[in-house]
Amino acid sequence: MKFKRIISLLLVLVMSLTILAGCSQSGEETTNLDPVEETEPLAEEVQEQEEELEDITVTDMAGREVTLPANVESIATFGSIGVINAFVELMGSGDKIANDMTHRFSNSDKWAMQYEFAPQMKGAPVLENTDGELLIEDVLALDPDLCLVMSKDYIEPLESNGLNVVYFEWKETEDVKTAVTLMGEALQKQDIAEDYLNYFDEMVAEAEALTADVGENKKTVLYGNVTQFTQPHIIAEWWISAAGGDSVTKDSWVNNKSVYTQEDILKWDPDVMIVTDVATIDEIKNDSLYSDVSAVKNDEVYYIPTVAHVWGNRTVEQPLTIFWTLHKLYPDLITEEDLAEKIECFYSHFFKTELSEGQVNSIIHTN
């Protein structure tokens, strides 16, 4: 088994040399290209280039052909704004988001980093009311080049008013690759999309190699809103497994909902709990009913990070979710320093944001 793990790690190491343009130990990006002196194009050249640009047509994940301007300058996001914004920011286009987040995202500090990735959103028009209904007059006044949605309910009311609407989804694990590819096409950032998909695969392969020898010693994990006995997204079953964990809720799904009880938690006796609400940590620790549960006894109750979006849900940050979880489960396999470097490098490379040491520490330490 040790020989198998060594071979796996060597293969991952070789493949990883191509990822993120070679992030160095200092978190800086390196490149094999010689520096080229940049010159500002003449105004006449810029105008000629813009005139030569033609509209593009993409096929969205509802099978619809959508024609878009070749150079999208403004983007409006609807519904699952945290998820959608993260896709846009991944492409380096966060500065094109033209609307603020709705109240359910902006009423707490949970999504505060969204305003660091796209500061122009603060105070911009809000395009849905507290009930999730479109404020269509405000949308039309904004007149975005591109509307991004993850619910088909938005398509008709937006499209019937002459707006360009692209629908994408993330229902199955592999949908993220289709969605990222679509986003790259819509924003003409195909190179970034390809870069990310290579990164995604390499991170998953690296985690698999690191946990190859865990075998039957996998730690059991309970993720979700534990006091409400809900697990918000089936995608968690995938990233828990990818991190070398054994999800206790994997067999509890009925009609796309995870159903379990307090008695189930006591029976499962999870080694680690990862919760979606920070207040839940104290609730669990102070509840005598859970005092003999392994995760509580061993102080292994953690709060899932939220940066661009909630790491445990559908988010392009999912590769980091895997390594954050892996570190919680098996800290001897990935050190805190290595995890911090992966976090810093990801947001620097893709989101063009340099996180402070304090921000990185707050992501890593959530118990």
Side-chain angles (χ1 to χ4, degrees), residues 246-356:
D246 181 15
S247 173
V248 295
T249 59
K250 62 181 181 294
D251 297 321
S252 68
W253 291 83
V254 178
N255 297 325
N256 209 34
K257 294 180 68 176
S258 177
V259 180
Y260 62 94
T261 66
Q262 199 170 51
E263 288 72 23
D264 287 325
I265 298 175
L266 299 177
K267 180 180 66 177
W268 290 330
D269 187 26
D271 296 312
V272 175
M273 288 186 184
I274 302 173
V275 300
T276 55
D277 186 343
V278 66
T280 304
I281 294 180
D282 286 337
E283 289 182 43
I284 293 171
K285 289 181 176 180
N286 294 330
D287 190 334
S288 59
L289 186 67
Y290 296 120
S291 60
D292 288 331
V293 172
S294 295
V296 176
K297 286 194 299 184
N298 299 322
D299 197 25
E300 297 266 18
V301 184
Y302 304 100
Y303 169 57
I304 195 75
T306 296
V307 186
H309 191 49
V310 182
W311 277 16
N313 297 355
R314 302 165 298 175
T315 177
V316 294
E317 301 148 297
Q318 207 98 92
L320 294 180
T321 312
I322 294 172
F323 277 87
W324 179 88
T325 306
L326 201 160
H327 173 66
K328 299 305 180 189
L329 300 181
Y330 316 109
D332 56 321
L333 296 183
I334 177 170
T335 66
E336 182 176 319
E337 292 74 18
D338 288 341
L339 176 60
E341 185 177 343
K342 288 183 182 296
I343 294 169
E344 291 169 358
C345 197
F346 176 84
Y347 290 106
S348 173
H349 183 76
F350 289 110
F351 282 62
K352 307 305 179 188
T353 300
E354 304 299 329
L355 299 186
S356 68

Side-chain angles (χ1 to χ4, degrees), residues 33-41:
L33 298 178
D34 294 326
V36 178
E37 182 179 351
E38 295 184 1
T39 57
E40 291 293 330

Side-chain angles (χ1 to χ4, degrees), residues 43-273:
E44 293 83 356
E45 292 178 349
V46 172
Q47 184 175 354
E48 289 176 3
Q49 291 171 2
E50 290 179 346
E51 289 175 353
E52 291 174 1
L53 292 176
E54 297 181 358
D55 290 348
I56 61 171
T57 300
V58 300
T59 301
D60 72 6
M61 293 180 73
R64 302 163 51 253
E65 288 193 349
V66 183
T67 300
L68 303 170
N71 188 23
V72 171
E73 292 292 347
S74 60
I75 300 169
T77 58
F78 301 86
S80 302
I81 289 178
V83 187
I84 300 172
N85 284 3
F87 272 89
V88 177
E89 291 152 358
L90 173 76
M91 294 293 149
S93 298
D95 60 336
K96 296 181 179 182
I97 300 174
N99 57 290
D100 201 344
M101 295 185 290
T102 53
H103 180 71
R104 71 187 180 100
F105 291 98
S106 62
N107 68 342
S108 73
D109 292 332
K110 191 171 185 177
W111 282 271
M113 283 300 297
Q114 278 290 335
Y115 294 117
E116 291 206 27
F117 298 139
Q120 81 286 345
M121 289 195 306
K122 193 76 171 179
V126 176
L127 304 180
E128 298 168 79
N129 63 22
T130 54
D131 294 323
E133 297 171 339
L134 282 175
L135 302 174
I136 194 63
E137 290 185 3
D138 293 328
V139 178
L140 294 175
L142 190 64
D143 192 24
D145 292 334
L146 171 61
C147 297
L148 293 174
V149 303
M150 293 186 77
S151 169
K152 293 178 181 178
D153 292 340
Y154 289 100
I155 296 175
E156 193 280 330
L158 292 170
E159 190 174 50
S160 65
N161 279 282
L163 296 164
N164 303 316
V165 187
V166 167
Y167 166 84
F168 66 102
E169 62 188 19
W170 189 345
K171 296 178 180 178
E172 304 296 333
T173 302
E174 291 297 307
D175 284 346
V176 62
K177 297 183 178 183
T178 306
V180 167
T181 300
L182 172 60
M183 198 66 64
E185 293 171 351
L187 300 178
Q188 293 294 280
K189 299 288 184 72
Q190 291 92 333
D191 55 337
I192 296 178
E194 182 180 1
D195 185 21
Y196 173 80
L197 294 179
N198 288 334
Y199 163 82
F200 186 100
D201 287 341
E202 298 294 353
M203 289 282 277
V204 172
E206 182 181 349
E208 182 179 3
L210 285 171
T211 58
D213 288 343
V214 172
E216 296 179 358
N217 298 315
K218 287 184 178 182
K219 288 191 175 182
T220 54
V221 181
L222 173 61
Y223 169 69
N225 189 332
V226 176
T227 57
Q228 299 296 316
F229 315 116
T230 61
Q231 205 273 60
H233 284 288
I234 197 168
I235 191 70
E237 307 299 344
W238 171 78
W239 57 255
I240 291 171
S241 176
D246 181 15
S247 173
V248 295
T249 59
K250 62 181 181 294
D251 297 321
S252 68
W253 291 83
V254 178
N255 297 325
N256 209 34
K257 294 180 68 176
S258 177
V259 180
Y260 62 94
T261 66
Q262 199 170 51
E263 288 72 23
D264 287 325
I265 298 175
L266 299 177
K267 180 180 66 177
W268 290 330
D269 187 26
D271 296 312
V272 175
M273 288 186 184

